Amino acid sequence: DEWDMGREDAVDIEAVILLDNSWSMCNDIDNAYESMWAIKRALDKINASTTVVTFSHTTELLYSADDRADKRVPHRTLGNSTDPYHSLRYARSVLANSKRAIKILIPITDGVWSQSTDSDNIIRQLRQGGVLTALGMIGAPERTDENGVKKIVIDSHGCEVVRSITEMKQLFLLARDMVKVGIDRNLSS
């Protein structure tokens, strides 16, 4: 066994995943649940503390930090409107009360939120408090610009890292971008 000073913090993670399960996600709900489940399972493997909350017109706890994701993706449910405000308040509480070295917030959504100004303000507060924020955009819409070029449009809601996720393998890109931001933060401090 070899022990390196400072490396123990690398996996001392408190993460909160917010999963949009509103009606607007109906065409992408399988992708969203699979993406959330893959992230949760990966974080479980390194003993990160990972909470998963779904949001629509209600906020529901899908996995507490102590729960482990088993070998099956959980049952998918759909709600009505897309209101992440209460789930973000819950995430802020979980992250603020954690003693873990690294804190991460990962909303998985189609991006159109009610109470977006209040919700975006909570994300900004979390970022100012040192929380790494990464948004996984499921079903990002394409828009044609004035030159006829199609571009994916993503509302980041103030998150530092943003990725369009259409296939599970793109989670690697989200994770890679999060690591890069984390490294850049540590180098600048």
Side-chain angles (χ1 to χ4, degrees), residues 158-174:
C159 290
E160 295 167 275
V161 178
V162 180
R163 273 285 171 183
S164 174
I165 298 174
T166 56
E167 299 175 33
M168 295 293 284
K169 65 183 177 185
Q170 291 167 324
L171 287 171
F172 165 75
L173 299 173
L174 181 68

Side-chain angles (χ1 to χ4, degrees), residues 2 6 9 60 74 85 106 156:
E2 188 175 312
D9 284 355
E60 295 182 22
Y85 180 70
I106 306 171
S156 72

Side-chain angles (χ1 to χ4, degrees), residues 122-169:
I122 292 174
I123 291 173
R124 278 191 260 302
Q125 291 170 3
L126 291 170
R127 281 183 63 182
Q128 290 169 352
V131 175
L132 177 58
T133 57
L135 184 125
M137 175 66 83
I138 303 287
E142 274 189 356
R143 304 276 192 261
T144 304
D145 67 12
E146 62 278 355
N147 299 320
V149 177
K150 288 186 178 186
K151 293 187 177 184
I152 292 176
V153 179
I154 300 175
D155 182 348
S156 72
H157 295 287
C159 290
E160 295 167 275
V161 178
V162 180
R163 273 285 171 183
S164 174
I165 298 174
T166 56
E167 299 175 33
M168 295 293 284
K169 65 183 177 185

Side-chain angles (χ1 to χ4, degrees), residues 102 127 130 132 160-161 175-189:
I102 299 168
R127 281 183 63 182
L132 177 58
E160 295 167 275
V161 178
R176 183 191 66 192
D177 293 348
M178 289 171 57
V179 168
K180 183 181 180 326
V181 168
I183 289 169
D184 290 347
R185 272 187 184 181
N186 286 340
L187 290 176
S188 67
S189 352

Side-chain angles (χ1 to χ4, degrees), residues 34-105:
E34 288 169 11
S35 297
M36 168 280 301
W37 179 81
I39 294 168
K40 168 75 173 146
R41 293 259 308 170
L43 289 168
D44 284 352
K45 287 181 182 185
I46 60 167
N47 293 318
S49 177
T50 309
T51 302
V52 179
V53 178
T54 62
F55 67 90
S56 59
H57 64 288
T58 61
T59 294
E60 295 182 22
L61 184 64
L62 188 60
Y63 291 105
S64 72
D66 298 328
D67 294 336
R68 310 257 316 158
D70 61 19
K71 294 182 182 196
R72 291 177 300 189
V73 177
H75 177 70
R76 296 147 181 88
T77 60
L78 286 172
N80 292 326
S81 61
T82 311
D83 188 353
Y85 180 70
H86 295 288
S87 64
L88 282 163
R89 289 184 60 198
Y90 182 80
R92 180 175 57 192
S93 174
V94 168
L95 295 166
N97 289 304
S98 174
K99 302 287 187 225
R100 299 275 186 143
I102 299 168
K103 298 176 183 180
I104 300 171
L105 174 72

